[in-house]
Amino acid sequence: MGQIKIFGTREELHPIREKLSAVLHECVMDAFQYPKEKKAHRFIYIDADSYFYFETRTPKHTIIEINLFEGRSIEAKKKLYKLLFERFEKELGISNMDLEITLFESPKYNWGIRGKSGDELDLNYKVEV
C-alpha cells in the first residue's frame, strides 16, 4: 500500500498534474512491481508567497513524500529515485535539483485499510522487492 503526496506551487504543478501523476506511477510500478490500479496521489499546493526554498532551486521545486509498507529493498528504492530523477527531467522539465523524494515506511500493522489492519490484508502484489 502506498500514499503519495506531491508538494509544490499551484502555478507549476496544477497544469502538469495528470502527466506528473502518470510518470510518477509508472516509476513506482517499475521499481516496486506495483499494480497499476494501486494509485493514491495527493497534490498539495503551496502559495508561491509561502514557499521558501534554497537559492539553487527554482519555482518548479517539487517535493514527493511516499508513505508505504516497509519491506522494499535498498536496491528497489534506489531504482525508484533514479527513475524519478530521469523521467521528471526528461518528461516534465523538473530538474534533479528541483526534485526531492522521501520514503516513509511503517509496518503493515500500522495501517488501517478496508476495515482491517494492513497485516491482515490479502495483497495482490509483493511488498518485498
Side-chain angles (χ1 to χ4, degrees):
M1 186 63 192
Q3 296 285 333
I4 301 177
K5 298 175 192 169
I6 303 103
F7 298 85
T9 63
R10 177 177 299 278
E11 294 79 15
E12 293 294 333
L13 289 184
H14 192 264
I16 62 168
R17 71 190 181 286
E18 290 180 27
K19 185 169 183 174
L20 188 152
S21 179
V23 169
L24 175 57
H25 195 56
E26 288 169 6
C27 293
V28 171
M29 287 189 305
D30 188 8
F32 291 169
Q33 301 173 19
Y34 216 60
K36 185 175 184 168
E37 69 277 5
K38 298 287 183 186
K39 181 177 173 181
H41 298 169
R42 309 293 181 266
F43 284 83
I44 300 167
Y45 300 117
I46 303 167
D47 293 333
D49 66 349
S50 297
Y51 194 23
F52 299 93
Y53 40 83
F54 300 115
E55 290 180 12
T56 55
R57 308 304 193 264
T58 75
K60 290 185 177 190
H61 189 242
T62 303
I63 300 169
I64 297 174
E65 294 183 354
I66 304 175
N67 290 291
L68 66 160
F69 294 153
E70 63 185 1
R72 276 71 180 195
S73 67
I74 292 171
E75 292 78 19
K77 294 172 194 175
K78 288 183 177 185
K79 181 177 181 179
L80 176 64
Y81 304 144
K82 183 178 186 281
L83 290 169
L84 289 169
F85 286 127
E86 288 174 356
R87 301 223 23 228
F88 270 55
E89 185 149 32
K90 180 180 177 186
E91 298 183 34
L92 300 166
I94 298 174
S95 76
N96 292 338
M97 289 299 294
D98 275 328
L99 181 59
E100 294 183 36
I101 308 146
T102 307
L103 301 179
F104 297 95
E105 296 179 292
S106 62
K108 290 179 189 176
Y109 58 78
N110 281 350
W111 292 67
I113 306 164
R114 300 189 306 263
K116 295 182 179 182
S117 172
D119 61 334
E120 298 171 343
L121 295 173
D122 290 321
L123 302 174
N124 63 343
Y125 60 94
K126 294 186 306 182
V127 173
E128 293 78 19
V129 294

